[in-house]
Amino acid sequence: MEKEAPSLDLILKGLWKENPVFVQLLGMCPLLAVSNSVKNALSMGLATTFVLVFSAALVSLLKRLIPKEVRMGCYILIIASFVTIAEYVMQAISLEIHRSLGAFTSLIVVNCIILGQAESFSSKHKLLPSVAHALGRGAGFSLAILCMGIIREVVGKGSFFEIPLFGEQYQAWTLLILPSGGFFVLALLLMLYETFSKESG
Amino acid sequence: MNHKSLKMMGSLTLISTISAFLLQMVVLYTQPIIAKNQALYLKQAIYEILPNTASVQGYRLQEGRFIRSDLPNPSVFAALDAQKKTLAFLFQWQGQGYQELMKILVAYDPVSKKLQGIKVLESKETPGLGERILTDQAFLAQFQGLAMPFNQERQELRHPLQLALRGKPKQPGRIDGITGATISSKAVLRIVNQGARYYFPLLQKTGGGK
């Protein structure tokens, strides 16, 4: 039991207390760009979590073999491999999702959450804590992008997962699914997060 | 060469090897599924434009005319009905949309010289505005049965597609655009025109040859 407790704690930390999006404001590019529908947000969250967990595992396993001078190159190489794998798998599952995410699937490579994970955690910790930490941060990112996706699609398009929610008369607030809407929703979520974490802390 | 740089090269080589191995496995496994998905997506688009399609025949360009071909990725498709009669030929053309490339599937009947419909296969138009070129039925319906003759002597479309002018009587080749999606509507017309200039003369040779 003693061994498992820190792992669970690591996961929960990434999900809420040290949420990479709400606290550290990392990974803003995919967060703002592909959160215009629940489907896109969910696929991006899952793909990022996949890359995060597997790259963290490999970095942690190979940490003794990676010299300090070329560590960035090594991390990027590992991350890019898993991003390409994620891209192929996504295409095999659904071409439609791959099309709607566009270039942002490949751009997972430059997501700071992943490189930050490799540099500041996985390169110093063992396999299990590394994976737990990565899982928590992946879940934290997914939570944030999913919140954005739900708000933006429900209000901006009047649907959830492409299922229309309101009647024909609903006047969709299109602004929210446009790029600028992403900033408004992000601001709203950050405000809510601040309020909630102050109250609970 | 000292010990340090050897170690650096060694570790990079090792990681590259692991990456290459992993990628190769994934590509081997997913490539056939992806190819199948892509073919399926295209076929669905063909059925969407021409619901009476019973089967699809691929065609390939050879010596200035299209011949039947069963190889994968043909350049042109013919949609056949249950009696094996050709309903229309379908080709794809790509061009610049509002911000990104747009790819359109065009159905054309070279015998009646009429468009049978279009479908935007790939696009990244503005959500809620330009994106309506994908869903606006009134806009898309105008392409069904639209006469689009090709002048063989001048090697030009007789009536290239253009947006209709407000308050003027409708002329051949004029299409009503979508309010709030003017640039995307224009892009669709431009891409269809470009594709038509290339494919129509070839298809008229193919369709008229039988």
XYZ file of all heavy atoms in Angstrom, chain B residues 30-128:
788
model
N -0.922 -0.471 -39.690
C -2.029 0.454 -39.956
C -2.197 0.804 -41.433
O -3.283 1.183 -41.843
C -1.847 1.778 -39.182
O -0.557 2.299 -39.485
C -1.976 1.575 -37.694
N -1.123 0.677 -42.240
C -1.194 1.114 -43.640
C -2.380 0.504 -44.404
O -3.137 1.238 -45.043
C 0.135 0.800 -44.347
C 0.368 1.583 -45.612
C 0.691 3.032 -45.322
O -0.197 3.820 -45.023
N 1.953 3.394 -45.397
N -2.575 -0.838 -44.352
C -3.724 -1.388 -45.092
C -5.070 -0.866 -44.592
O -5.975 -0.611 -45.391
C -3.611 -2.898 -44.867
C -2.502 -3.125 -43.939
C -1.752 -1.878 -43.745
N -5.179 -0.650 -43.263
C -6.446 -0.144 -42.719
C -6.696 1.273 -43.221
O -7.804 1.629 -43.604
C -6.418 -0.167 -41.174
C -6.030 -1.556 -40.673
C -7.753 0.245 -40.601
C -5.876 -1.642 -39.169
N -5.615 2.092 -43.243
C -5.767 3.476 -43.694
C -6.181 3.515 -45.161
O -7.087 4.261 -45.545
C -4.455 4.259 -43.465
C -4.175 4.367 -41.964
C -4.530 5.644 -44.079
C -2.822 4.923 -41.625
N -5.533 2.682 -45.985
C -5.872 2.657 -47.417
C -7.332 2.264 -47.600
O -8.048 2.840 -48.432
C -4.954 1.677 -48.141
N -7.789 1.302 -46.794
C -9.174 0.845 -46.880
C -10.127 1.977 -46.472
O -11.126 2.224 -47.137
C -9.367 -0.372 -45.953
C -10.331 -1.395 -46.513
C -10.296 -2.695 -45.729
C -11.011 -2.553 -44.410
N -10.839 -3.736 -43.544
N -9.774 2.683 -45.374
C -10.592 3.810 -44.912
C -10.724 4.866 -45.995
O -11.800 5.409 -46.218
C -9.954 4.468 -43.685
C -10.254 3.700 -42.417
O -11.024 2.749 -42.449
N -9.652 4.101 -41.328
N -9.571 5.154 -46.663
C -9.585 6.212 -47.673
C -10.462 5.834 -48.851
O -11.245 6.646 -49.346
C -8.158 6.506 -48.144
C -7.602 7.711 -47.431
C -6.102 7.783 -47.470
O -5.436 6.832 -47.889
N -5.560 8.896 -47.033
N -10.357 4.578 -49.283
C -11.176 4.122 -50.403
C -12.651 4.163 -50.025
O -13.505 4.569 -50.818
C -10.758 2.711 -50.799
N -12.948 3.777 -48.793
C -14.327 3.758 -48.305
C -14.909 5.170 -48.265
O -16.051 5.412 -48.660
C -14.362 3.130 -46.912
C -15.719 2.676 -46.423
C -16.143 1.438 -47.186
C -15.684 2.377 -44.928
N -14.079 6.102 -47.789
C -14.507 7.501 -47.673
C -14.886 8.052 -49.045
O -15.901 8.702 -49.212
C -13.370 8.309 -47.053
C -13.650 9.767 -46.870
C -14.546 10.191 -45.897
C -13.028 10.722 -47.662
C -14.813 11.534 -45.725
C -13.285 12.060 -47.492
C -14.172 12.465 -46.520
O -14.439 13.797 -46.339
N -14.051 7.738 -50.041
C -14.303 8.215 -51.403
C -15.578 7.593 -51.957
O -16.397 8.260 -52.581
C -13.095 7.868 -52.274
C -12.981 8.631 -53.574
C -12.838 10.107 -53.297
C -11.788 8.135 -54.363
N -15.754 6.301 -51.717
C -16.952 5.616 -52.226
C -18.206 6.193 -51.591
O -19.213 6.402 -52.268
C -16.855 4.118 -51.917
C -16.121 3.383 -53.001
C -16.621 1.957 -53.174
C -15.932 1.347 -54.388
N -15.388 0.044 -54.104
N -18.138 6.454 -50.280
C -19.296 7.051 -49.595
C -19.651 8.388 -50.211
O -20.826 8.704 -50.404
C -18.986 7.238 -48.111
C -19.413 6.053 -47.287
C -18.920 6.163 -45.865
O -18.182 7.091 -45.533
N -19.325 5.232 -45.036
N -18.601 9.164 -50.539
C -18.838 10.472 -51.150
C -19.524 10.297 -52.501
O -20.431 11.055 -52.845
C -17.510 11.214 -51.310
N -19.121 9.281 -53.262
C -19.742 9.036 -54.574
C -21.218 8.687 -54.400
O -22.085 9.226 -55.091
C -18.994 7.907 -55.319
C -17.565 8.359 -55.648
C -19.735 7.527 -56.600
C -16.710 7.290 -56.274
N -21.531 7.815 -53.429
C -22.932 7.440 -53.187
C -23.741 8.637 -52.719
O -24.922 8.743 -52.996
C -23.021 6.316 -52.152
C -22.570 4.990 -52.687
C -21.477 4.326 -52.154
C -23.240 4.393 -53.753
C -21.049 3.120 -52.664
C -22.815 3.193 -54.270
C -21.721 2.550 -53.724
O -21.306 1.370 -54.235
N -23.080 9.533 -51.988
C -23.789 10.716 -51.503
C -24.214 11.617 -52.666
O -25.319 12.143 -52.677
C -22.870 11.495 -50.557
C -23.513 11.813 -49.228
C -22.478 12.360 -48.278
O -21.819 11.561 -47.577
O -22.313 13.585 -48.258
N -23.307 11.782 -53.647
C -23.646 12.631 -54.795
C -24.674 11.930 -55.679
O -25.643 12.527 -56.124
C -22.378 12.956 -55.624
C -21.345 13.693 -54.783
C -22.753 13.804 -56.833
C -20.073 14.004 -55.532
N -24.459 10.641 -55.941
C -25.323 9.882 -56.847
C -25.909 8.689 -56.097
O -25.338 7.601 -56.107
C -24.508 9.404 -58.053
C -23.843 10.497 -58.877
C -22.657 9.965 -59.644
C -24.839 11.140 -59.822
N -27.052 8.875 -55.456
C -27.603 7.804 -54.604
C -28.003 6.551 -55.400
O -28.149 5.493 -54.809
C -28.849 8.452 -53.984
C -28.708 9.906 -54.227
C -27.878 10.078 -55.441
N -28.165 6.667 -56.727
C -28.563 5.491 -57.508
C -27.395 4.604 -57.902
O -27.578 3.616 -58.603
C -29.276 5.929 -58.794
C -30.605 6.572 -58.478
O -31.244 6.233 -57.477
N -31.021 7.514 -59.299
N -26.189 4.971 -57.454
C -25.014 4.203 -57.835
C -25.106 2.778 -57.308
O -25.428 2.564 -56.142
C -23.752 4.874 -57.264
O -23.756 6.231 -57.645
C -22.498 4.205 -57.778
N -24.840 1.820 -58.181
C -24.819 0.421 -57.748
C -23.388 -0.083 -57.642
O -23.051 -0.856 -56.757
C -25.607 -0.446 -58.717
N -22.527 0.367 -58.559
C -21.119 -0.022 -58.465
C -20.245 1.106 -59.010
O -20.733 2.027 -59.661
C -20.867 -1.307 -59.257
O -21.204 -1.100 -60.603
N -18.970 1.003 -58.732
C -18.035 2.051 -59.132
C -16.914 1.421 -59.940
O -16.391 0.373 -59.571
C -17.460 2.759 -57.880
C -16.382 3.735 -58.268
C -18.562 3.473 -57.118
N -16.579 2.051 -61.068
C -15.499 1.533 -61.925
C -14.390 2.574 -62.013
O -14.666 3.748 -62.287
C -16.075 1.236 -63.317
C -15.056 0.941 -64.396
C -14.399 -0.417 -64.210
O -15.067 -1.415 -64.019
N -13.075 -0.438 -64.237
N -13.154 2.157 -61.781
C -12.041 3.083 -61.877
C -11.583 3.246 -63.321
O -11.713 2.331 -64.138
N -11.077 4.422 -63.635
C -10.518 4.694 -64.966
C -9.149 5.313 -64.810
O -8.872 5.986 -63.830
C -11.420 5.670 -65.744
C -12.595 5.022 -66.429
C -13.718 4.645 -65.698
C -12.584 4.797 -67.798
C -14.798 4.055 -66.316
C -13.662 4.212 -68.429
C -14.770 3.848 -67.692
O -15.831 3.275 -68.308
N -8.284 5.066 -65.801
C -6.935 5.601 -65.755
C -6.632 6.255 -67.106
O -7.117 5.789 -68.142
C -5.969 4.447 -65.505
C -4.624 4.850 -65.003
C -3.870 3.603 -64.594
N -4.392 3.059 -63.345
C -4.089 3.542 -62.133
N -3.262 4.556 -62.020
N -4.600 3.007 -61.057
N -5.845 7.331 -67.061
C -5.534 8.064 -68.290
C -4.447 7.346 -69.078
O -3.400 6.985 -68.538
C -5.077 9.476 -67.920
C -5.010 10.493 -69.054
C -6.359 10.692 -69.695
C -4.481 11.813 -68.530
N -4.751 7.112 -70.382
C -3.724 6.515 -71.229
C -3.871 7.077 -72.636
O -4.951 7.019 -73.226
C -3.890 4.989 -71.258
C -2.616 4.275 -71.658
C -2.757 2.775 -71.472
O -3.649 2.170 -72.013
N -1.872 2.189 -70.694
N -2.811 7.672 -73.156
C -2.790 8.261 -74.492
C -3.977 9.192 -74.730
O -4.710 9.063 -75.721
C -2.754 7.156 -75.561
C -1.416 6.445 -75.611
C -1.543 5.035 -76.205
O -2.608 4.753 -76.786
O -0.602 4.256 -76.063
N -4.185 10.107 -73.776
C -5.186 11.148 -73.983
C -6.624 10.725 -73.791
O -7.531 11.492 -74.078
N -6.893 9.510 -73.352
C -8.264 9.133 -73.046
C -8.272 8.179 -71.842
O -7.244 7.627 -71.474
C -8.949 8.491 -74.248
C -8.247 7.219 -74.732
C -9.159 6.355 -75.559
N -9.718 7.083 -76.697
C -10.983 6.972 -77.064
N -11.787 6.194 -76.372
N -11.438 7.606 -78.126
N -9.439 8.052 -71.251
C -9.523 7.213 -70.056
C -9.877 5.786 -70.430
O -10.747 5.545 -71.261
C -10.587 7.762 -69.101
C -10.145 9.001 -68.405
C -10.613 10.241 -68.785
C -9.221 8.917 -67.376
C -10.188 11.383 -68.151
C -8.783 10.061 -66.737
C -9.272 11.298 -67.126
N -9.150 4.850 -69.845
C -9.487 3.440 -70.055
C -9.806 2.799 -68.710
O -9.348 3.249 -67.671
C -8.327 2.664 -70.739
C -7.026 2.875 -69.947
C -8.145 3.106 -72.173
C -6.071 1.754 -70.118
N -10.617 1.751 -68.737
C -10.989 1.045 -67.507
C -9.757 0.473 -66.827
O -8.852 -0.005 -67.512
C -11.943 -0.101 -67.837
C -13.358 0.356 -67.992
C -14.178 -0.724 -68.658
N -15.407 -0.108 -69.137
C -16.608 -0.449 -68.687
N -16.728 -1.414 -67.809
N -17.678 0.159 -69.136
N -9.745 0.555 -65.516
C -8.589 0.042 -64.801
C -9.035 -0.415 -63.425
O -9.824 0.257 -62.768
C -7.535 1.139 -64.686
O -6.719 0.905 -63.571
N -8.567 -1.564 -63.005
C -8.941 -2.078 -61.687
C -7.819 -1.926 -60.675
O -7.908 -2.425 -59.557
C -9.375 -3.544 -61.796
C -10.694 -3.660 -62.553
O -11.550 -2.784 -62.339
O -10.845 -4.589 -63.367
N -6.751 -1.207 -61.074
C -5.662 -0.959 -60.127
C -6.146 -0.006 -59.036
O -7.081 0.770 -59.265
C -4.475 -0.334 -60.859
C -3.802 -1.222 -61.900
C -2.845 -0.405 -62.744
C -3.054 -2.358 -61.211
N -5.521 -0.046 -57.861
C -5.940 0.896 -56.822
C -5.617 2.347 -57.209
O -4.753 2.586 -58.057
C -5.144 0.449 -55.592
C -4.037 -0.391 -56.108
C -4.489 -0.988 -57.388
N -6.314 3.298 -56.554
C -6.153 4.738 -56.786
C -6.288 5.153 -58.248
O -5.382 5.742 -58.824
C -4.795 5.230 -56.264
C -4.638 4.930 -54.803
O -5.597 5.045 -54.027
N -3.459 4.520 -54.409
N -7.412 4.867 -58.885
C -7.596 5.353 -60.254
C -7.775 6.866 -60.251
O -8.092 7.456 -59.231
C -8.882 4.645 -60.701
C -9.588 4.298 -59.454
C -8.582 4.164 -58.367
N -7.540 7.500 -61.426
C -7.619 8.961 -61.454
C -9.062 9.435 -61.597
O -9.403 10.526 -61.166
C -6.745 9.524 -62.571
O -6.949 8.785 -63.743
N -9.912 8.623 -62.217
C -11.303 9.012 -62.412
C -12.181 7.806 -62.089
O -11.767 6.663 -62.298
C -11.529 9.465 -63.875
C -13.000 9.579 -64.191
C -10.860 10.801 -64.124
N -13.377 8.072 -61.566
C -14.318 6.983 -61.292
C -15.542 7.148 -62.180
O -15.929 8.261 -62.506
C -14.800 7.028 -59.834
C -13.728 6.726 -58.850
C -12.976 7.748 -58.291
C -13.470 5.419 -58.470
C -11.989 7.472 -57.376
C -12.485 5.144 -57.547
C -11.740 6.166 -57.001
N -16.148 6.020 -62.548
C -17.457 6.072 -63.188
C -18.445 5.442 -62.227
O -18.194 4.370 -61.690
C -17.437 5.310 -64.497
N -19.555 6.142 -61.978
C -20.604 5.579 -61.137
C -21.596 4.863 -62.051
O -22.113 5.461 -62.994
C -21.292 6.689 -60.360
N -21.824 3.566 -61.813
C -22.714 2.765 -62.662
C -23.977 2.426 -61.890
O -23.922 2.172 -60.686
C -22.018 1.461 -63.084
C -20.606 1.602 -63.651
C -19.969 0.228 -63.814
C -20.630 2.323 -64.974
N -25.103 2.410 -62.579
C -26.340 2.006 -61.916
C -26.502 0.487 -62.009
O -25.604 -0.212 -62.489
C -27.551 2.768 -62.467
C -27.844 2.407 -63.911
O -27.166 1.503 -64.450
O -28.732 3.040 -64.512
N -27.642 -0.033 -61.572
C -27.831 -1.484 -61.500
C -27.748 -2.131 -62.885
O -27.397 -3.309 -63.005
C -29.168 -1.795 -60.837
N -28.079 -1.371 -63.962
C -28.013 -1.933 -65.323
C -26.644 -1.701 -65.969
O -26.500 -1.795 -67.191
C -29.103 -1.305 -66.208
C -30.492 -1.861 -65.993
C -31.166 -1.233 -64.777
O -31.115 -0.020 -64.599
N -31.770 -2.058 -63.927
N -25.649 -1.325 -65.157
C -24.283 -1.073 -65.642
C -24.218 0.131 -66.579
O -23.317 0.227 -67.426
C -23.703 -2.315 -66.358
C -23.502 -3.499 -65.451
C -22.173 -3.394 -64.728
C -22.120 -4.402 -63.597
N -21.201 -4.054 -62.541
N -25.204 1.004 -66.509
C -25.177 2.209 -67.334
C -24.407 3.288 -66.564
O -24.586 3.439 -65.358
C -26.616 2.663 -67.581
C -26.753 3.596 -68.768
C -28.209 3.970 -68.958
C -28.340 5.444 -69.240
N -28.765 6.250 -68.134
N -23.543 4.018 -67.277
C -22.755 5.046 -66.597
C -23.638 6.240 -66.239
O -24.264 6.837 -67.103
C -21.611 5.510 -67.512
O -20.846 4.364 -67.876
C -20.719 6.502 -66.790
N -23.702 6.549 -64.935
C -24.480 7.707 -64.487
C -23.670 8.981 -64.658
O -24.165 10.003 -65.116
C -24.856 7.538 -63.014
C -25.827 6.410 -62.685
C -25.863 6.177 -61.192
C -27.210 6.751 -63.196
N -22.415 8.911 -64.262
C -21.553 10.082 -64.353
C -20.113 9.659 -64.094
O -19.860 8.585 -63.555
C -21.969 11.128 -63.326
N -19.184 10.521 -64.524
C -17.779 10.332 -64.171
C -17.450 11.256 -63.009
O -17.979 12.372 -62.932
C -16.882 10.648 -65.361
C -16.905 9.584 -66.420
C -17.798 9.657 -67.481
C -16.049 8.500 -66.330
C -17.831 8.662 -68.449
C -16.062 7.516 -67.296
C -16.958 7.583 -68.356
N -16.585 10.798 -62.117
C -16.221 11.619 -60.973
C -14.722 11.835 -60.913
O -13.950 10.893 -61.095
C -16.674 10.946 -59.674
C -18.180 10.771 -59.556
C -18.528 9.310 -59.698
C -18.676 11.316 -58.241
N -14.324 13.088 -60.717
C -12.903 13.383 -60.566
C -12.695 14.301 -59.375
O -13.633 14.927 -58.889
C -12.328 14.019 -61.843
C -12.996 15.297 -62.250
C -12.594 16.501 -61.697
C -14.027 15.298 -63.187
C -13.201 17.694 -62.065
C -14.635 16.491 -63.563
C -14.226 17.687 -63.001
N -11.457 14.356 -58.888
C -11.137 15.211 -57.743
C -10.254 16.356 -58.202
O -9.404 16.169 -59.067
C -10.381 14.418 -56.678
C -11.141 13.238 -56.150
C -10.250 12.346 -55.296
O -9.693 12.779 -54.314
N -10.112 11.106 -55.709
N -10.457 17.516 -57.642
C -9.579 18.648 -57.937
C -9.326 19.415 -56.650
O -10.192 19.483 -55.785
C -10.195 19.561 -58.991
C -9.161 20.446 -59.641
C -8.841 21.707 -59.290
C -8.323 20.096 -60.734
N -7.845 22.183 -60.105
C -7.503 21.216 -60.998
C -8.166 18.957 -61.520
C -6.553 21.219 -62.014
C -7.221 18.969 -62.533
C -6.423 20.080 -62.778
N -8.125 19.982 -56.550
C -7.710 20.635 -55.321
C -7.333 22.076 -55.606
O -6.776 22.365 -56.661
C -6.507 19.871 -54.798
C -6.065 20.241 -53.419
C -5.028 19.249 -52.937
O -5.332 18.135 -52.578
N -3.791 19.679 -52.958
N -7.656 22.978 -54.728
C -7.278 24.374 -54.923
C -7.322 25.122 -53.611
O -7.696 24.576 -52.573
N -6.966 26.404 -53.690
C -6.892 27.211 -52.489
C -8.285 27.603 -52.001
O -9.084 28.114 -52.763
C -6.056 28.462 -52.786
C -5.849 29.377 -51.616
C -4.981 28.731 -50.541
O -4.055 27.985 -50.833
N -5.306 28.986 -49.286
N -8.580 27.345 -50.739
C -9.825 27.815 -50.141
C -9.595 29.162 -49.495
O -8.739 29.938 -49.937
N -10.326 29.457 -48.423
C -10.156 30.743 -47.756
C -8.780 30.823 -47.115
O -8.064 31.798 -47.264
C -11.277 30.918 -46.721
C -11.190 32.193 -45.928
C -11.016 33.420 -46.555
C -11.297 32.172 -44.547
C -10.947 34.585 -45.840
C -11.232 33.338 -43.816
C -11.049 34.541 -44.462
O -10.977 35.684 -43.728
N -8.408 29.753 -46.374
C -7.085 29.760 -45.740
C -6.252 28.567 -46.155
O -5.048 28.644 -46.283
C -7.237 29.747 -44.218
C -7.635 31.095 -43.671
C -7.961 31.011 -42.206
O -8.591 30.063 -41.744
N -7.557 32.009 -41.460
N -6.922 27.423 -46.332
C -6.174 26.193 -46.605
C -6.676 25.553 -47.888
O -7.693 25.959 -48.437
C -6.366 25.218 -45.436
C -5.830 25.757 -44.147
C -4.758 24.861 -43.571
O -4.291 23.954 -44.265
O -4.392 25.093 -42.415
N -5.972 24.517 -48.317
C -6.360 23.811 -49.528
C -7.717 23.145 -49.358
O -8.090 22.724 -48.270
C -5.317 22.746 -49.865
C -4.012 23.254 -50.479
C -3.111 22.081 -50.762
C -4.286 24.029 -51.751
N -8.435 23.070 -50.442
C -9.758 22.456 -50.450
C -9.755 21.425 -51.573
O -9.199 21.669 -52.633
C -10.762 23.568 -50.759
C -12.170 23.286 -50.393
S -13.218 24.480 -51.206
C -13.202 25.807 -50.088
N -10.350 20.268 -51.296
C -10.374 19.210 -52.307
C -11.830 18.875 -52.598
O -12.603 18.642 -51.670
C -9.641 17.983 -51.771
C -9.237 16.987 -52.817
C -8.502 15.870 -52.106
C -7.745 14.960 -53.016
N -7.088 13.926 -52.215
N -12.202 18.879 -53.864
C -13.603 18.696 -54.239
C -13.746 17.522 -55.200
O -12.922 17.332 -56.102
C -14.157 19.981 -54.897
C -14.047 21.152 -53.924
C -15.600 19.796 -55.330
C -14.573 22.449 -54.452
N -14.790 16.732 -54.956
C -15.144 15.636 -55.861
C -16.264 16.150 -56.763
O -17.277 16.644 -56.284
C -15.609 14.431 -55.038
C -15.972 13.167 -55.795
C -14.729 12.547 -56.410
C -16.643 12.165 -54.867
N -16.056 16.049 -58.088
C -17.023 16.583 -59.042
C -17.591 15.443 -59.866
O -16.840 14.599 -60.364
C -16.350 17.607 -59.984
C -17.367 18.204 -60.944
C -15.682 18.707 -59.190
N -18.935 15.398 -60.012
C -19.577 14.390 -60.849
C -20.058 15.068 -62.118
O -20.736 16.088 -62.064
C -20.746 13.755 -60.099
N -19.699 14.493 -63.291
C -20.022 15.108 -64.579
C -20.463 14.029 -65.547
O -19.864 12.956 -65.619
C -18.772 15.828 -65.109
C -18.958 16.518 -66.439
C -19.818 17.601 -66.563
C -18.266 16.092 -67.565
C -19.969 18.247 -67.776
C -18.407 16.736 -68.779
C -19.274 17.816 -68.888
O -19.421 18.456 -70.081
N -21.528 14.327 -66.272
C -22.000 13.402 -67.294
C -21.607 13.955 -68.663
O -22.181 14.947 -69.121
C -23.526 13.247 -67.180
C -24.063 12.321 -68.264
O -23.236 11.686 -68.951
O -25.289 12.256 -68.417
N -20.615 13.363 -69.336
C -20.136 13.930 -70.603
C -21.147 13.788 -71.736
O -21.003 14.455 -72.757
C -18.850 13.149 -70.891
C -18.926 11.928 -70.068
C -19.842 12.185 -68.915
N -22.150 12.920 -71.591
C -23.137 12.761 -72.670
C -24.109 13.934 -72.660
O -24.290 14.620 -73.663
C -23.879 11.411 -72.536
C -24.886 11.257 -73.660
C -22.875 10.264 -72.537
N -24.707 14.191 -71.491
C -25.642 15.316 -71.417
C -24.919 16.635 -71.160
O -25.522 17.705 -71.184
C -26.669 15.065 -70.319
O -26.039 15.084 -69.063
N -23.600 16.567 -70.917
C -22.777 17.744 -70.617
C -23.310 18.513 -69.423
O -23.399 19.746 -69.435
C -22.662 18.656 -71.842
C -22.041 17.948 -73.038
C -21.746 18.908 -74.160
C -20.936 18.279 -75.273
N -21.478 17.035 -75.802
N -23.725 17.771 -68.392
C -24.250 18.401 -67.192
C -23.494 17.927 -65.960
O -23.124 16.754 -65.872
C -25.731 18.033 -67.023
C -26.643 18.876 -67.878
C -28.072 18.470 -67.667
C -28.999 19.350 -68.500
N -30.354 18.816 -68.529
N -23.307 18.863 -65.022
C -22.770 18.476 -63.718
C -23.829 17.645 -62.997
O -25.020 17.910 -63.127
C -22.487 19.719 -62.877
C -21.211 20.514 -63.109
C -21.146 21.640 -62.090
C -19.987 19.633 -62.957
N -23.392 16.652 -62.236
C -24.350 15.841 -61.486
C -24.281 16.110 -59.986
O -25.033 15.534 -59.227
C -24.103 14.349 -61.762
C -24.258 13.964 -63.215
C -25.663 14.194 -63.726
O -26.634 13.839 -63.090
N -25.775 14.846 -64.888
N -23.360 16.967 -59.592
C -23.239 17.295 -58.173
C -21.784 17.383 -57.765
O -20.896 16.948 -58.501
N -21.551 17.993 -56.598
C -20.187 18.086 -56.085
C -20.196 17.732 -54.601
O -21.235 17.774 -53.949
C -19.590 19.510 -56.251
C -20.396 20.519 -55.437
C -19.512 19.916 -57.692
C -19.633 21.791 -55.158
N -19.013 17.369 -54.101
C -18.869 17.197 -52.659
C -17.487 17.658 -52.258
O -16.487 17.285 -52.874
C -19.068 15.741 -52.264
C -18.748 15.511 -50.800
C -19.445 14.306 -50.229
C -18.922 13.980 -48.847
N -19.428 14.867 -47.800
N -17.426 18.499 -51.231
C -16.134 18.960 -50.726
C -15.564 17.858 -49.841
O -16.163 17.494 -48.832
C -16.283 20.272 -49.938
C -14.934 20.749 -49.447
C -16.937 21.334 -50.788
N -14.428 17.283 -50.289
C -13.855 16.157 -49.541
C -13.000 16.642 -48.386
O -13.051 16.095 -47.292
C -12.996 15.291 -50.470
C -13.715 14.553 -51.585
C -12.692 13.806 -52.433
C -14.725 13.573 -51.034
N -12.163 17.639 -48.657
C -11.272 18.142 -47.603
C -11.327 19.658 -47.609
O -11.241 20.269 -48.667
C -9.823 17.708 -47.874
C -9.556 16.281 -47.507
C -8.211 15.817 -48.032
O -7.250 16.594 -48.014
O -8.146 14.664 -48.484
N -11.472 20.247 -46.428
C -11.465 21.699 -46.350
C -11.233 22.113 -44.916
O -11.449 21.342 -43.990
C -12.806 22.254 -46.817
O -13.798 21.944 -45.872
N -10.766 23.362 -44.748
C -10.636 23.913 -43.398
C -11.183 25.327 -43.425
O -10.515 26.283 -43.095
C -9.174 23.925 -42.968
C -8.621 22.539 -42.778
C -7.473 22.508 -41.805
C -6.992 21.098 -41.625
N -6.397 20.547 -42.860
N -12.420 25.466 -43.873
C -13.030 26.795 -43.942
C -13.448 27.227 -42.536
O -13.569 26.411 -41.621
C -14.231 26.767 -44.884
C -13.870 26.369 -46.309
C -12.750 27.204 -46.915
O -12.950 28.399 -47.124
O -11.671 26.654 -47.179
N -13.715 28.532 -42.378
C -14.068 29.073 -41.064
C -15.319 28.385 -40.521
O -16.346 28.363 -41.189
C -14.368 30.579 -41.185
O -13.418 31.142 -42.076
C -14.280 31.251 -39.838
N -15.243 27.833 -39.298
C -16.425 27.184 -38.736
C -17.576 28.170 -38.611
O -17.376 29.312 -38.213
C -15.965 26.717 -37.350
C -14.488 26.780 -37.367
C -14.094 27.773 -38.404
N -18.756 27.726 -38.978
C -19.934 28.566 -38.826
C -20.148 29.544 -39.967
O -21.242 30.030 -40.172
